């Protein structure tokens, strides 16, 4: 990467967005300077609509004037473009395919969590909760067999902490425990260790702000 190229990095995001946080965290882990542009999703900027005309969503990473959209695509773009250590994905093709598989599964877990926040009525909430816990069960058994924590954060660390790093705020809004150290000990210890890291603390929104946002989101979704 030529000298000075990093300074042309612009990230369009939204402060409570899990998808935006993935990219912010990846850039900081790789040590890539960037300019952050906060988007008002109720009144999207002309730049966002120009850079992502199909989905009109954040995050969008603009590198040397060229936009890259969709958080998982952006994460791989970052790791391939700045292929120095720390690497977000392993070099071995098979191991990389396994990481991609579980990254996709964590994406499904996020969608289940979002469904739970937006569910209304006892039956719908119960069904959404069962779906989320089912995915946590599968993830608990599937990931712990191969995931080895190192001193550098990788793609799955980014995915899981962006999805569940705010679990205490989520629990406060939903009124029940999401991460139980007895039911899902591996995931619980994985997430709680990650949220104590300085680089993660730097990126994650304040607890009180997230609680307020999630409360507002749930109110909108259920009215």
């Amino acid at each position: 990467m030529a000298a000075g190229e990093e300074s042309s990095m612009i990230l369009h995001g939204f402060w409570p967005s899990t998808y935006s946080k993935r990219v912010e965290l990846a850039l900081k882990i790789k040590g890539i300077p960037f300019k952050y542009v906060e988007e008002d999703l109720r009144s999207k900027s002309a730049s966002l609509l120009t850079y992502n005309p199909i989905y009109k969503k954040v995050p969008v990473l603009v590198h040397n004037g060229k936009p890259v959209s969709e958080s998982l695509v952006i994460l791989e773009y970052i790791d391939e473009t700045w292929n120095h250590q720390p690497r977000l994905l392993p070099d071995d093709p098979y191991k990389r395919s396994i990481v991609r598989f579980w990254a996709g599964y964590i994406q499904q877990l996020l969608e289940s969590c979002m469904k739970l926040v937006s569910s209304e009525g006892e039956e719908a909430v119960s069904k959404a909760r069962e779906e989320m816990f089912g995915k946590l069960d599968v993830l608990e058994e599937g990931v712990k067999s191969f995931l080895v924590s190192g001193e550098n954060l990788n793609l799955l660390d980014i995915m899981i902490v962006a999805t569940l790093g705010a679990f205490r705020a989520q629990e406060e809004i939903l009124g029940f425990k999401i991460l139980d150290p007895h039911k899902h000990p591996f995931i619980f210890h994985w997430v709680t260790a990650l949220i104590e890291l300085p680089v993660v603390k730097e990126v994650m929104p304040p607890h009180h702000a997230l609680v307020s946002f999630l409360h507002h989101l749930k109110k909108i979704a259920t009215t």
Side-chain angles (χ1 to χ4, degrees):
M1 189 58 58
E5 274 198 43
E6 291 88 344
S7 63
S8 64
M9 297 286 287
I10 302 172
L11 173 62
H12 292 256
F14 179 48
W15 70 268
S17 166
T18 296
Y19 305 99
S20 294
K21 293 305 170 189
R22 292 172 181 173
V23 180
E24 279 189 69
L25 190 51
L27 290 168
K28 288 183 178 294
I29 289 168
K30 298 285 278 188
I32 304 168
F34 65 99
K35 177 184 177 182
Y36 178 79
V37 176
E38 176 71 11
E39 290 286 347
D40 180 353
L41 299 187
R42 295 168 300 182
S43 179
K44 298 172 183 177
S45 71
S47 294
L48 178 62
L49 298 177
T50 298
Y51 288 134
N52 191 0
I54 296 175
Y55 294 118
K56 303 177 177 63
K57 294 179 179 179
V58 295
V60 175
L61 184 69
V62 184
H63 181 206
N64 290 336
K66 297 178 181 178
V68 186
S69 303
E70 296 297 288
S71 62
L72 279 172
V73 175
I74 296 172
L75 293 181
E76 292 210 33
Y77 175 82
I78 290 170
D79 202 41
E80 292 171 1
T81 304
W82 289 270
N83 57 7
H84 57 73
Q85 295 295 331
R87 296 301 305 272
L88 303 182
L89 288 101
D91 292 326
D92 179 79
Y94 180 72
K95 290 180 180 178
R96 193 160 59 245
S97 73
I98 297 298
V99 168
R100 284 175 172 148
F101 173 85
W102 286 111
Y105 196 83
I106 294 173
Q107 174 63 33
Q108 292 180 32
L109 173 63
L110 172 61
E111 291 166 3
S112 294
C113 292
M114 293 170 66
K115 186 186 299 183
L116 187 55
V117 172
S118 63
S119 294
E120 183 179 10
E122 186 176 341
E123 184 178 349
V125 170
S126 178
K127 184 178 179 180
R129 181 163 52 185
E130 183 179 346
E131 177 183 310
M132 184 196 68
F133 283 137
K135 286 188 168 56
L136 283 172
D137 290 342
V138 172
L139 188 65
E140 173 81 12
E141 293 305 314
V143 174
K144 71 180 181 182
S145 63
F146 81 93
L147 186 65
V148 179
S149 295
E151 59 181 67
N152 297 319
L153 301 190
N154 58 42
L155 181 69
L156 293 186
D157 292 321
I158 291 170
M159 292 291 291
I160 198 67
V161 78
T163 300
L164 293 175
F167 73 94
R168 293 189 175 96
Q170 296 161 345
E171 291 174 347
E172 190 170 329
I173 291 299
L174 295 171
F176 61 84
K177 191 175 288 294
I178 293 176
L179 283 189
D180 189 323
H182 302 292
K183 292 181 179 178
H184 305 107
F186 181 85
I187 298 175
F188 178 84
H189 292 297
W190 184 17
V191 173
T192 52
L194 288 172
I195 60 179
E196 292 302 316
L197 297 176
V199 67
V200 175
K201 287 184 175 181
E202 185 180 350
V203 167
M204 295 300 287
H207 174 84
H208 69 278
L210 268 178
V211 169
S212 178
F213 174 78
L214 289 172
H215 178 74
H216 175 70
L217 202 64
K218 188 166 183 62
K219 185 177 179 180
I220 292 175
T222 55
T223 56

